[in-house]
Every structure is written in structure tokens, then in C-alpha cells.
């Protein structure tokens, strides 16, 4: 290998966790196509260019907190279990735990109302734990009804046993959750006051918002620096993964995606531990509306930034790596049990296998992205999926905020799969009609979309890469994720669902989590296909004439400013 290639690979290994991660990934990726070496080299080049740019801009003192190199990722030991017949995406489990489940435990939801009603039912029936991670909790009547459900469930738990086994843990973003006089904090304080032993409210504050930057940036604008953006809602052993926040719009007329994983204790344990880990490095809301850190914990914006990020990295990676180890042991035990059961079956008949669990036909992989802490798993998996997508494969990718990273755009334009990208038309953008500068954000997205479409046309890729705009009267659009259809298949075998938007913020600024769901079950594949079709049915194909419409006019100042601020939204 050329010296330059070796240097790029070494640079990426340092950034993404070292030689062990390189070995684990290289061993599992398919051969004969664009390999991981090319992907990692591309990533390494990008990291190197980023460091050079940071050096040149070192005089921008206000942005200094944003430009600190990431903390190296702590990696887990390699996975040695390789059962025969494993699906083609098995390499993902070398980075994160693999949870094998029955497809009958997966339910895809389709509407905000269905999502909201399910939240209430799950809260009311919870016995052991309620764990909710969101950007914020709204302050309207529907949100208050959720809080009332929590209060009622906690009361019943106390009445039934005298001392409650039910624990409620809520993780929100500090800046978004503190916006305004009536906010997420004031909504939850009554629960803290009434059930201090059962309820915990954690408010994550990005370590990048500190010092002079924190003093100068006003409310709302301070949310551009970095957020807690994970959306996970779990109740006992049932887990809801979504991109939706706990706000009335997301319960009524803001379209998102939602999937329920039922009776999945290992997955619920993982996300409980993940939320606990982030909560431990977050500010703790007190009964008097003050906040304080846990004893002995480094403060996110008053303490040493490097020390804080190292602790946060270690806590989160401990969750990921311990879950990987547990699942490997469980897989080994199940594998050997099934082998023994198969040997006994001819001698003892069907009764010998009666106690064995059915073989999983669906696999769940949690993908975590926390660049402030140097954790880039979701980014690596997403880029690898895009890189390895074969000719005639189809990828349906959707985002409510079309602002793809340069790496994602390069892969979409430079690989061979067909892409159908669904994005919000200006009228269904969440910022449409907003006051002040925020009201120009939909126009900025139109400008970014037009630039990307022009590049597609210049490369004569209009047939392979198609943009479609979601449009629905009275609704806004917030769905994100992708569906992967292998060549020759009419149904998807993989979907990504969760909080990331595939944009700069998701990759570099915010805390994000989604899951990759891989399934061999035709019924579940049909569910996912119908979900995709339902979203795309409300869309129109983008063409050159789209940008000639009066509502697509972008003012000159927006065109000038967008390149400077696109990394903040």
C-alpha cells in the first residue's frame, strides 16, 4: 500500500477507535466491491482537511469550543461468533450489540395519533420502568395529559405496594427544555416534588456551549451549537424508536416514523443503560427548578471540556461494549443449545425442541452518534451501507431537513445504487411561517436542494438519483431514515429509524441514536414497504421546473448566508 494510503488509514484508526476496529470491519465487509479501505481513506482525508481548516480559523475565538478535536473512541473486543447462514449485514455487530428477535415483536406505526395513544397506554400499564429521551417536552394540553398519565401510574404503584418499584427517567436537552418561562422543566417539576424517589429528570448540556460563546448567544440561537436529539420511549420491556418529540404537533399533524419493539427485554435494558449513561453526565433538575451535577461529575460547561468528554465517552462506550459482550454470550449459548436440540430431535421427537426459542428472523442494531464525545458509529455504518449498496439496489432515504453531509452526498452521487430521496417541500418544513430569521430557513433548504439537484443533473444522474418533495395540506414533515431494497427485490430487508437527519448537525453536533432493523421475514418487510409507500405517495418528483415556481424564489441574502450557517441547522 502506498505511504499516503497508510497515513490516511492510520489517521482514521486514531479518530475512530484504532486498529482493532479496522480489523473487525475489514474482516466482515463483502469482497469485490468498493471496500472499506476506500471508505476509511475518504473519511480520514475529511478529518485531516477539517483539522487543517480548524488551524487556519484559530483566530475565531468565539468558535474555538466547536473546533476541538474529538476524543478517541474506546472500542470493544472483537466478535468471534460466526454462525452459518447469518445475514449479509452481520458485520454491524462488530461495532454494536446484535439483538435477534422474532418479527412478530415488531410493529410499524403510521400516524402521530397512533403514536400518542400508544404512549399513553404504555405509560398507564408500566410496572417497572418508564424511560423517555426526547429533545423536549411541550407545554400544551396533550403534553400535560402525558404528565398526568405518569402521575396516575406512579400513584397506583405506590398504593399497590406502599413503596413503588416503578422508576421514571426522563432525558431532555437543557437549552431547548429551558426555553421560555413555561417550559419542559416547569411541566415536570410537580412530578419531582411529589415522587422524589421515583422520578429523575436529566438535562443534557452540550460541552461546546461554554465561556464567552454561552454568554453572547441568545435563547433559541444557543440551540444551534449542540443538542440532546435522541428519541427513545420505553416502558418495561417495550421500546418505541422514533424521530418524534414529546410535543402536540408530533401527536397531531407532524408526520414522522415510529416503530414498536414489544417484549424485548435486552433491547430495553440497552436503551435504559444508554439513557442512564447520558443522564449521569447531564444536569439534574431539582424540585426548586435549579440544576446540579451528580457528585464527583465534571461540569459540562464550567469544568474541563476534555475531561468531561472523556468521561462521557467512557460511560457510553461501556454501555455499548458490555451489551455486545452479553449478546455474544447469549448468541453462543443459544447456538450451542440449538445444535444439541437438533442432535436430540431424531431420537426424542418434536418434544425435545419444545423448550427452545424460535430462531430469530429479525436483528436490531443500535447505532449511536455522539461526535462531541468522539463516538461516530452511526456515521460509519451509514457510510458503509451507502458505499456497499450494489448496482440495481434501491435506497429510499428521507429527511425532514435536507442538508446532507458532503460525505453522504459524495457517496450518493458516486455509487451505483438507485436513490429516491424524500424531503420536505417549503410549505411542510417545520420552520415555514416562523418569525424573524428562522422564517428564511425553508428558503435556505430550497437553495441547498437546488444546488444538489443541479449537481445531479450535471452528472446526468437524474434517473438514478431522484428527489421527491413531501406535500400535505395542514401538515408538516419530520420523517427520517432509509429503506434498503436489494437488487431484484420488491421488499426492503433493512431500515434505519431514529433521530438522525443525515445532516451536518446529526453527524457533528448533536447526540443521536437510531436502530438498523434487518429482517428476513416477508410480513415485516411488507410492513416496512407499506410505510415507505405511504410516505412517498404524498410526494411529487422534483424537476428543473420545480425551482421556477414563485414559492421557490430565494433571496440573494439567503444565498449568501446559507453556506456560512448550513452547518448549524
Amino acid at each position: 500500500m502506498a505511504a499516503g494510503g497508510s497515513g490516511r488509514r492510520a489517521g482514521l484508526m486514531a479518530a475512530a477507535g484504532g486498529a482493532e476496529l479496522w480489523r473487525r470491519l475489514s474482516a466482515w465487509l463483502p469482497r469485490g466491491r468498493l471496500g472499506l479501505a476506500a471508505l476509511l481513506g475518504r473519511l480520514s482525508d475529511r478529518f485531516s482537511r477539517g483539522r487543517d481548516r480548524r488551524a487556519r480559523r484559530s483566530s475565531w475565538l468565539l468558535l474555538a469550543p466547536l473546533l476541538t478535536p474529538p476524543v478517541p473512541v474506546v472500542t470493544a473486543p472483537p466478535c468471534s461468533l460466526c454462525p452459518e447462514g447469518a445475514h449479509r449485514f452481520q458485520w454491524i455487530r462488530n461495532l454494536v450489540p446484535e439483538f435477534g428477535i422474532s418479527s412478530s415483536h415488531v410493529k410499524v406505526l403510521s400516524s402521530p395519533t397512533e403514536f400518542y395513544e400508544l404512549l399513553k397506554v404504555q405509560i398507564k400499564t408500566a410496572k417497572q420502568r418508564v424511560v423517555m429521551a426526547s429533545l423536549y417536552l411541550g407545554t400544551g394540553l396533550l403534553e400535560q395529559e402525558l404528565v398526568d398519565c405518569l402521575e396516575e401510574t406512579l400513584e397506583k404503584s405506590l398504593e399497590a405496594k406502599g413503596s413503588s418499584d416503578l422508576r421514571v427517567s426522563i432525558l431532555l436537552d437543557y437549552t431547548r427544555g429551558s426555553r421560555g418561562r413555561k417550559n419542559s422543566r416547569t411541566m415536570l417539576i410537580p412530578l419531582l416534588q411529589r415522587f422524589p424517589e421515583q422520578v429523575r429528570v436529566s438535562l443534557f448540556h452540550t460541552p461546546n456551549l461554554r465561556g464567552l460563546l454561552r454568554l453572547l448567544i441568545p435563547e433559541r440561537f444557543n440551540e444551534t451549537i449542540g443538542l440532546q436529539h435522541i428519541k427513545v420511549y420505553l416502558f418495561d420491556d417495550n421500546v418505541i424508536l422514533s424521530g418524534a418529540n414529546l410535543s402536540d404537533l408530533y401527536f397531531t399533524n407532524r408526520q414522522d416514523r415510529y416503530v414498536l419493539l414489544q417484549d424485548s427485554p435486552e433491547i430495553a435494558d440497552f436503551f435504559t443503560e444508554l439513557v442512564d449513561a447520558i443522564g449521569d453526565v447531564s444536569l439534574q433538575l431539582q424540585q426548586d427548578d435549579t440544576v446540579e451535577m451528580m457528585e464527583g461529575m465534571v461540569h459540562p460547561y464550567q469544568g474541563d471540556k476534555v475531561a468531561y468528554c472523556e468521561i462521557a465517552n467512557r460511560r457510553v462506550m461501556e454501555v455499548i461494549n458490555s451489551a455486545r459482550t452479553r449478546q455474544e454470550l447469549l448468541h453462543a449459548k443459544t447456538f450451542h443449545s440449538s445444535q444439541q436440540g437438533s442432535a436430540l430431535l431424531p431420537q426424542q421427537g418434536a418434544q425435545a425442541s419444545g423448550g427452545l426459542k424460535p430462531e430469530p428472523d429479525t436483528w436490531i442494531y443500535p447505532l449511536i452518534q455522539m461526535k462531541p464525545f468522539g463516538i461516530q458509529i452511526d456515521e460509519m455504518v451509514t457510510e458503509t451501507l451507502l458505499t456497499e449498496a450494489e448496482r440495481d439496489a434501491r435506497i429510499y432515504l428521507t429527511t425532514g431537513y435536507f442538508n446532507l453531509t458532503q460525505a453522504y452526498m459524495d457517496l450518493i452521487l458516486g455509487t451505483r445504487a438507485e436513490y429516491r430521496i424524500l424531503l420536505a417541500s417549503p410549505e411542510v418544513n417545520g420552520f415555514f411561517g416562523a418569525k424573524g430569521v428562522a422564517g428564511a430557513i425553508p428558503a435556505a433548504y430550497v437553495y441547498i436542494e437546488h444546488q444538489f439537484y443541479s449537481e445531479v443533473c450535471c452528472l446526468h444522474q437524474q434517473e438514478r438519483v431522484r428527489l421527491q418533495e413531501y406535500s400535505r395540506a395542514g401538515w408538516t414533515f419530520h420523517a427520517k431514515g432509509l429503506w434498503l431494497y436489494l437488487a431484484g427485490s420488491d421488499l426492503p430487508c433493512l431500515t434505519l429509524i431514529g433521530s438522525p437527519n443525515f445532516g451536518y448537525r446529526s453527524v457533528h453536533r448533536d447526540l443521536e441514536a437510531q436502530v438498523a432493523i434487518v429482517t428476513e421475514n416477508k410480513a415485516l418487510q411488507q410492513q416496512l414497504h407499506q410505510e415507505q409507500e405511504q410516505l412517498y405517495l404524498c410526494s411529487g418528483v422534483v424537476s428543473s421546473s420545480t425551482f421556477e415556481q414563485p414559492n421557490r424564489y430565494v433571496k440573494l441574502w439567503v444565498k449568501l448566508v446559507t453556506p456560512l450557517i448550513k452547518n448549524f441547522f
Side-chain angles (χ1 to χ4, degrees):
M1 180 179 291
S6 300
R8 285 194 299 272
R9 190 180 73 181
L12 180 64
M13 289 190 294
E20 187 56 58
L21 184 55
W22 163 268
R23 190 195 66 76
R24 297 206 314 257
L25 275 172
S26 299
W28 279 90
L29 274 173
R31 306 292 187 214
R33 284 177 283 165
L34 180 59
L36 183 62
L39 170 64
L40 295 187
R42 188 183 298 116
L43 283 170
S44 182
D45 286 341
R46 196 167 77 254
F47 294 150
S48 299
R49 290 196 300 270
R51 285 194 295 268
D52 293 341
R53 287 195 297 270
R54 285 196 289 270
R56 290 196 297 270
R57 291 194 302 237
S58 59
S59 60
W60 291 21
L61 296 180
L62 284 180
L63 296 183
L66 311 181
L67 307 178
T68 305
V71 180
V73 174
V74 181
T75 60
C79 172
S80 58
L81 187 64
C82 309
E84 295 180 6
H87 54 79
R88 66 190 299 158
F89 303 103
Q90 193 181 51
W91 56 268
I92 303 176
R93 78 178 187 186
N94 288 273
L95 297 173
V96 297
E98 176 187 74
F99 300 99
I101 63 174
S102 169
S103 57
S104 62
H105 292 185
V106 183
K107 181 181 179 182
V108 179
L109 311 181
S110 61
S111 72
T113 303
E114 191 178 7
F115 170 59
Y116 180 61
E117 293 301 324
L118 180 61
L119 286 176
K120 291 193 294 182
V121 168
Q122 291 292 319
I123 289 173
K124 290 177 181 178
T125 57
K127 305 298 183 196
Q128 300 294 326
R129 59 185 171 188
V130 173
V131 179
M132 298 196 291
S134 186
L135 175 61
Y136 69 105
L137 171 70
T139 58
L141 294 177
L142 295 179
E143 297 92 320
Q144 185 59 56
E145 191 173 345
L146 277 185
V147 176
D148 293 343
C149 286
L150 286 169
E151 183 177 8
E152 179 184 338
T153 303
L154 284 162
E155 282 179 348
K156 288 182 178 178
S157 180
L158 280 174
E159 291 170 0
K161 296 187 178 181
S163 62
S164 176
D165 292 330
L166 179 64
R167 294 292 181 268
V168 175
S169 176
I170 300 174
L171 172 67
L172 305 173
D173 182 73
Y174 176 88
T175 53
R176 182 62 183 88
S178 303
R179 184 201 293 180
R181 296 185 66 180
K182 186 178 182 182
N183 53 42
S184 304
R185 293 162 63 165
T186 60
M187 291 286 288
L188 294 170
I189 283 174
L191 288 181
L192 281 172
Q193 292 173 338
R194 187 163 184 186
F195 307 99
E197 300 301 317
Q198 285 79 49
V199 177
R200 178 191 190 189
V201 178
S202 305
L203 302 170
F204 173 79
H205 189 295
T206 177
N208 288 329
L209 182 62
R210 56 174 48 231
L212 190 58
L213 191 69
R214 190 173 189 273
L215 292 174
L216 293 179
I217 298 184
E219 194 174 81
R220 286 179 178 264
F221 290 93
N222 58 8
E223 297 165 23
T224 64
I225 305 305
L227 297 168
Q228 192 304 112
H229 200 244
I230 296 170
K231 290 83 183 276
V232 176
Y233 310 105
L234 73 87
F235 315 88
D236 293 338
D237 293 337
N238 300 327
V239 183
I240 302 173
L241 275 301
S242 180
N245 293 303
L246 297 174
S247 176
D248 55 2
L249 290 176
Y250 297 90
F251 304 151
T252 53
N253 63 346
R254 190 163 208 192
Q255 185 63 57
D256 215 300
R257 298 180 66 208
Y258 335 84
V259 65
L260 169 65
L261 308 177
Q262 304 174 84
D263 300 321
S264 302
E266 293 90 358
I267 300 173
D269 288 346
F270 172 83
F271 280 106
T272 297
E273 293 171 10
L274 179 67
V275 171
D276 283 345
I278 303 169
D280 288 348
V281 297
S282 298
L283 296 158
Q284 306 300 303
L285 183 63
Q286 305 300 306
Q287 298 178 30
D288 59 356
D289 198 21
T290 60
V291 293
E292 58 184 48
M293 292 298 292
M294 293 177 60
E295 186 175 353
M297 184 59 63
V298 178
H299 199 282
Y301 63 86
Q302 294 177 352
D304 181 77
K305 180 181 175 181
V306 173
Y308 172 80
C309 291
E310 286 176 346
I311 292 170
N313 174 286
R314 188 160 56 247
R315 283 288 288 113
V316 173
M317 291 308 300
E318 282 173 357
V319 171
I320 295 171
N321 292 335
S322 62
R324 279 190 67 249
T325 301
R326 288 197 306 267
Q327 290 308 112
E328 287 171 14
L329 293 174
L330 181 62
H331 294 163
K333 182 178 178 181
T334 304
F335 179 67
H336 293 309
S337 296
S338 65
Q339 291 292 311
Q340 293 172 3
S342 299
L344 291 171
L345 194 57
Q347 303 172 20
Q348 301 181 14
Q351 208 172 22
S353 62
L356 295 176
K357 294 177 101 176
E359 286 291 318
D361 59 6
T362 300
W363 295 267
I364 310 296
Y365 301 95
L367 307 178
I368 311 303
Q369 183 75 12
M370 300 179 180
K371 188 69 172 288
F373 304 154
I375 299 172
Q376 301 165 244
I377 296 171
D378 179 66
E379 177 188 7
M380 294 182 69
V381 171
T382 301
E383 292 197 3
T384 304
L385 288 173
L386 299 183
T387 300
E388 296 295 330
E390 59 196 342
R391 185 183 300 277
D392 297 326
R394 286 174 294 138
I395 293 179
Y396 289 77
L397 185 150
T398 178
T399 173
Y401 304 110
F402 184 74
N403 186 19
L404 302 179
T405 66
Q406 189 62 51
Y408 291 162
M409 286 192 288
D410 290 344
L411 288 170
I412 290 170
L413 294 173
T415 51
R416 294 165 291 184
E418 295 180 9
Y419 284 87
R420 302 293 179 261
I421 302 175
L422 183 63
L423 50 133
S425 65
E427 293 77 16
V428 300
N429 187 291
F431 291 96
F432 185 75
K435 297 179 181 179
V437 177
I441 291 179
Y445 282 115
V446 168
Y447 182 59
I448 294 169
E449 176 190 353
H450 194 182
Q451 286 185 312
F452 180 75
Y453 180 76
S454 298
E455 192 167 355
V456 170
C457 293
C458 286
L459 296 172
H460 306 289
Q461 299 287 321
Q462 299 96 308
E463 292 300 316
R464 191 180 65 83
V465 180
R466 182 188 301 168
L467 300 183
Q468 297 179 223
E469 288 188 349
Y470 186 93
S471 182
R472 190 175 178 185
W475 284 66
T476 55
F477 184 68
H478 198 251
K480 69 267 295 185
L482 67 76
W483 301 259
L484 174 60
Y485 295 68
L486 297 178
S489 176
D490 294 327
L491 297 174
C493 63
L494 175 147
T495 190
L496 300 183
I497 180 170
S499 64
N501 277 298
F502 304 105
Y504 187 93
R505 286 201 59 138
S506 292
V507 171
H508 295 276
R509 297 191 182 281
D510 299 339
L511 306 191
E512 305 279 10
Q514 63 179 340
V515 293
I517 302 177
V518 177
T519 184
E520 297 174 345
N521 180 269
K522 295 299 181 184
L524 179 53
Q525 290 179 354
Q526 187 65 44
Q527 274 196 72
L528 296 171
H529 177 65
Q530 289 174 351
E531 177 199 30
Q532 177 270 117
E533 279 195 325
Q534 184 177 346
L535 290 173
Y536 279 70
L537 277 174
C538 296
S539 70
V541 177
V542 172
S543 66
S544 298
S545 62
T546 302
F547 302 101
E548 297 172 2
Q549 300 172 17
N551 64 341
R552 304 310 169 94
Y553 174 72
V554 180
K555 296 178 180 178
L556 178 60
W557 74 266
V558 175
K559 294 181 180 180
L560 295 174
V561 170
T562 297
L564 303 177
I565 65 171
K566 63 182 294 186
N567 292 344
F568 291 89
F569 63 87

